[in-house]
Amino acid sequence: MLFAVRMDVAIPADLDPEVRQETIAREKAYSQELQRGGEWKSIWRIVGKYSNISIFDVESTDRLHEILWGLPLFEYMDVDVTPLAQHPSAIQQD
Ligand SMILES: O=C(O)CC1=CCC(=O)O1
């Protein structure tokens, strides 16, 4: 199942700088592990924003929920999920 997920990040300005850096580092490691595993297919920065659009290929909505709740930055994010289906004009399958 394919999903486009938009993540808008808003880390509080008064968060301890060490906690901020450590959380961002954990977020990167978590994301890259899921990318290597194939469930997090791609991640794109939205120009001019502390936001990304990511494509996930997961077995279920429950699995996507589990992944999103596990994001180290989850408590500082707004997350918007869009399910994707094949477009009849697409010349490739995913
Ligand atoms: O920087 C972001 O957009 C938040 C984020 C999600 C995965 C990651 O590595 O950073």
Side-chain angles (χ1 to χ4, degrees):
M1 304 173 75
L2 285 173
F3 296 89
V5 178
R6 175 171 173 154
M7 304 175 201
D8 296 303
V9 185
I11 300 174
D14 62 354
L15 187 67
D16 181 297
E18 270 187 33
V19 173
R20 178 190 172 96
Q21 281 317 114
E22 183 266 337
T23 308
I24 290 171
R26 283 194 295 119
E27 180 87 4
K28 182 174 182 175
Y30 181 82
S31 169
Q32 291 186 338
E33 185 178 342
L34 289 163
Q35 288 176 62
R36 285 187 207 98
E39 289 183 301
W40 195 323
K41 288 176 69 76
S42 60
I43 180 168
W44 300 92
R45 179 64 76 213
I46 298 176
V47 174
K49 295 186 176 293
Y50 191 1
S51 305
N52 73 76
I53 290 179
S54 292
I55 304 297
F56 288 87
D57 187 1
V58 290
E59 66 178 12
S60 66
T61 52
D62 285 342
R63 176 59 183 149
L64 181 62
H65 187 75
E66 180 180 62
I67 288 171
L68 296 176
W69 272 71
L71 289 163
L73 284 175
F74 184 77
E75 68 183 294
Y76 307 124
M77 283 179 176
D78 269 345
V79 178
D80 186 66
V81 176
T82 304
L84 302 175
Q86 285 292 318
H87 192 287
S89 301
I91 60 169
Q92 62 184 43
Q93 291 310 301
D94 62 358

